Amino acid sequence: MGLFSKVDGLNVLHLFPQDRIVSQMRERYLRVLQCNKNKGRIIVMIKDHLKFLELAFEEATLAESEGTYPIGAVIVDNEGKVVSRGRNRVFTQEDCTAHAEVDAIRKAGHILLDTTNKRFKKNDLTLYTTCEPCPMCTCTILLSGIKQVVWAADDDEYGAIRRMKEGPHFINQFNTINYIASPSLDLENKQRKMLKEWNIRRGIVNTEWEAK
């Protein structure tokens, strides 16, 4: 696996805490660093990535002590400032969506969102997590606009950033779901009208939410 991979515009860096693997990754990383240095790009040194992963593990330890999945996350800006921390709270809050990455993104809302103009801000944030993000967290990361993710351990069962890029994975998860799409044209147009007016209020005139 390469040091960096790109998934729908998302920069993904894989790091592993084991000494032997870290040594190998460090050597490969320094080669990438030298290559990018020649292009004038600034890359955070690997020791900083490991430092922020250790902060994510602090959150994972807290989650474990609270009786839920031991997974933690932190979000860091391009100056190395931690803007939010998150940890898994699925069983402590009885919330199936309370994953560590989602928790961290929720707490970074003041950085990610322009509440005055009702827009998403462009950001240069990196999300560090102790475990590869699942399908829900991967989609949340993409929708948040975060462009770089670093995780400590691959998740070969539910890890999604790599696999969702490759093709139609997790199809079996839909086998237990029944859905009924748009049973009422009146109700569909009611929602379309609300979203169209919402977009117009925030300056988006050409909207996809026209009535059918």
Side-chain angles (χ1 to χ4, degrees):
M1 180 185 301
L3 182 63
F4 287 99
S5 60
K6 205 169 200 57
V7 180
D8 291 339
L10 193 71
N11 293 316
V12 178
L13 173 60
H14 312 271
L15 293 175
F16 301 84
Q18 295 93 331
D19 291 341
R20 178 179 61 82
I21 298 177
V22 167
S23 178
Q24 295 172 354
M25 297 294 282
R26 185 187 304 276
E27 182 179 347
R28 295 168 66 186
Y29 185 88
L30 290 175
R31 289 200 296 269
V32 173
L33 178 65
Q34 183 62 41
C35 175
N36 284 281
K37 182 179 179 182
N38 294 335
K39 298 177 182 179
R41 294 178 57 190
I42 299 174
I43 297 180
V44 180
M45 293 297 292
I46 193 170
K47 64 181 181 181
D48 290 329
H49 287 305
L50 298 179
K51 176 182 73 174
F52 293 129
L53 282 176
E54 288 295 343
L55 294 180
F57 272 103
E58 290 179 4
E59 295 296 318
T61 300
L62 285 173
E64 184 177 35
S65 70
E66 293 167 349
T68 190
Y69 294 99
I71 300 174
V74 298
I75 296 176
V76 180
D77 66 17
N78 61 353
E79 296 181 350
K81 177 183 177 182
V82 176
V83 299
S84 71
R85 290 171 170 251
R87 61 182 180 272
N88 188 284
R89 302 174 189 270
V90 168
F91 290 108
T92 53
Q93 292 188 349
E94 297 181 333
D95 181 353
C96 296
T97 70
H99 290 201
E101 298 89 339
V102 173
D103 190 33
I105 289 171
R106 286 170 176 167
K107 293 176 179 177
H110 62 293
I111 302 293
L112 296 166
L113 299 172
D114 177 353
T115 56
T116 300
N117 297 303
K118 312 303 180 188
R119 299 291 184 98
F120 287 83
K121 296 179 183 178
K122 291 184 178 180
N123 69 78
D124 193 14
L125 302 177
T126 298
L127 186 146
Y128 293 85
T129 176
T130 58
C131 191
E132 181 180 1
C134 72
M136 178 185 71
C137 294
T138 295
C139 291
T140 304
I141 291 165
L142 290 171
L143 290 173
S144 73
I146 291 173
K147 298 301 183 186
Q148 182 164 262
V149 182
V150 182
W151 64 76
D154 286 345
D155 182 345
D156 293 330
E157 182 177 8
Y158 282 106
I161 286 184
R162 297 167 299 150
R163 296 169 66 196
M164 289 177 74
K165 176 64 175 179
E166 295 169 0
H169 295 285
F170 303 104
I171 295 299
N172 61 313
Q173 300 292 327
F174 291 89
N175 292 339
T176 60
I177 299 176
N178 294 315
Y179 64 86
I180 300 171
S182 305
S184 165
L185 182 60
D186 287 343
L187 293 179
E188 179 174 4
N189 284 334
K190 181 176 182 179
Q191 174 67 94
R192 288 180 170 276
K193 181 174 182 291
M194 293 172 71
L195 287 169
K196 177 182 177 180
E197 292 173 351
W198 157 254
N199 281 334
I200 290 173
R201 287 197 300 271
R202 62 194 189 117
I204 302 176
V205 178
N206 296 321
T207 174
E208 63 188 274
W209 296 107
E210 300 293 340
K212 286 190 173 181

